[in-house]
Amino acid sequence: MDLTPNQILLISIAIAAGLIYLPFLVVAVSRLQIGIDLSAPRAMFDRLPDYGKRATWAHQNSFENFMIYAAAALMVYVSGQASAATTSVAVAFLAFRLGYSLFYIIDIPIARSLMWGGSMACIGSLMLTSFGF
């Protein structure tokens, strides 16, 4: 099935929304290690192993990053500027965000920062494209 650039942009938003919860799967595993306290799930944070804390932070950052990505992708969609180039940027964004979460969880700060920067560059590129640049 051949997808149009517009369809790919919309699908990338859905995939990006799903990627928000990838780090949370790791948080869930770390919670199982310490025992789940359903009466105070947020209070468990201090007892999580370090990788669980980093996964929590990656999960939280994913929400923050998703909002501006969704806005940028929708700006391209609405402006009619979707193209093969914006498709490549959307796919690159997803790869950067996946790398961001993985590098955050396994604690490679420089790689995590590069992934974050790459994802932000993708967002900026989409926004500029939507304005015809």
Side-chain angles (χ1 to χ4, degrees), residues 66-77:
F66 171 76
M67 290 183 281
I68 43 180
Y69 175 71
L74 289 171
M75 287 169 67
V76 172
Y77 179 84

Side-chain angles (χ1 to χ4, degrees), residues 11-63:
I11 291 167
S12 76
I13 294 169
I15 293 170
L19 285 175
I20 292 170
Y21 293 95
L22 181 67
F24 192 74
L25 296 174
V26 177
V27 174
V29 169
S30 69
R31 284 181 174 183
L32 288 173
Q33 282 186 316
I34 64 168
I36 297 176
D37 180 1
L38 293 178
S39 64
R42 293 186 189 261
M44 295 172 56
F45 178 78
D46 291 334
R47 297 188 346 248
L48 291 177
D50 288 344
Y51 77 89
K53 290 176 183 175
R54 290 189 302 272
T56 300
W57 295 325
H59 176 62
Q60 292 167 347
N61 180 268
S62 294
F63 279 107

Side-chain angles (χ1 to χ4, degrees), residues 36 41 47 51 55 58 65 72 79 82 87 103 124 129:
I36 297 176
R47 297 188 346 248
Y51 77 89
N65 194 270
S79 68
T87 295
F103 289 128
T129 299

